[in-house]
Amino acid sequence: MNILFLCTGNSCRSILAEATFNHLAPTGWKAMSAGSQPTGTVHPRSLALLTHEGIDTGGLHSKSWDNLPLAPDVVITVCANAAGETCPAYLGPVLRAHWGVDDPAHATGTEAEIEAAFTTAYRILRRRIEAFLALPLAQLAHDRTRLKAELDRIGALSA
């Protein structure tokens, strides 16, 4: 199954989710990330955080949803609608879920506060990905209604 983590800029949250999912996922499951308006660069703090967590960052780059290498089966948006962000709507016949997370790229304050925003975003995404991967994936791959319900439930989990 191919998962697409989607956000507007594809520089922080969707990149964190892609790398974390691929680090934890079983054989045959693959995550990609993309943006509706990609920034063209991955935020250096995202890369540093992933490296610190022991997650490979090779090949990560900010990319458009127009240039995906595979067709996604599931699209998970990670923009934080509650924060007033507009999250892109993927136009395709796929299962969709929303896992809103505040954008750490917009964090302000001290270095420690900005670093904490990145860590919080990562922890929320990792918890949700771990919950997703703990599901009976072989069964859910063939039951879209149940998979959608589980994805929506997981999207409400916090750090």
Side-chain angles (χ1 to χ4, degrees), residues 27-155:
T27 302
W29 289 70
K30 170 106 174 107
M32 308 170 279
S33 69
S36 58
Q37 299 171 22
T39 64
T41 60
V42 176
H43 198 291
R45 287 185 191 265
S46 294
L47 295 173
L49 175 58
L50 290 167
T51 299
H52 176 74
E53 293 293 324
I55 298 173
D56 183 24
T57 60
L60 294 176
H61 62 285
S62 177
K63 56 210 158 292
S64 172
W65 62 5
D66 293 329
N67 301 314
L68 297 175
L70 304 166
D73 300 298
V74 176
V75 173
I76 299 173
T77 54
V78 293
C79 302
N81 288 339
E85 281 183 273
T86 302
C87 206
Y90 186 80
L91 306 174
V94 299
L95 188 63
R96 296 179 190 99
H98 179 68
W99 291 2
V101 177
D102 289 335
D103 189 351
H106 296 302
T108 58
T110 66
E111 283 296 311
E113 290 168 331
I114 295 169
E115 195 64 36
F118 276 84
T119 300
T120 297
Y122 167 76
R123 285 186 181 152
I124 291 168
L125 289 166
R126 182 166 180 133
R127 178 162 188 234
R128 292 174 182 174
I129 290 165
E130 287 172 343
F132 176 41
L133 294 173
L135 296 171
L137 298 177
Q139 296 168 14
L140 291 176
H142 304 291
D143 186 347
R144 291 174 58 92
T145 302
R146 188 167 159 223
L147 178 56
K148 169 70 171 142
E150 291 293 344
L151 288 171
D152 289 344
R153 178 188 63 77
I154 290 167

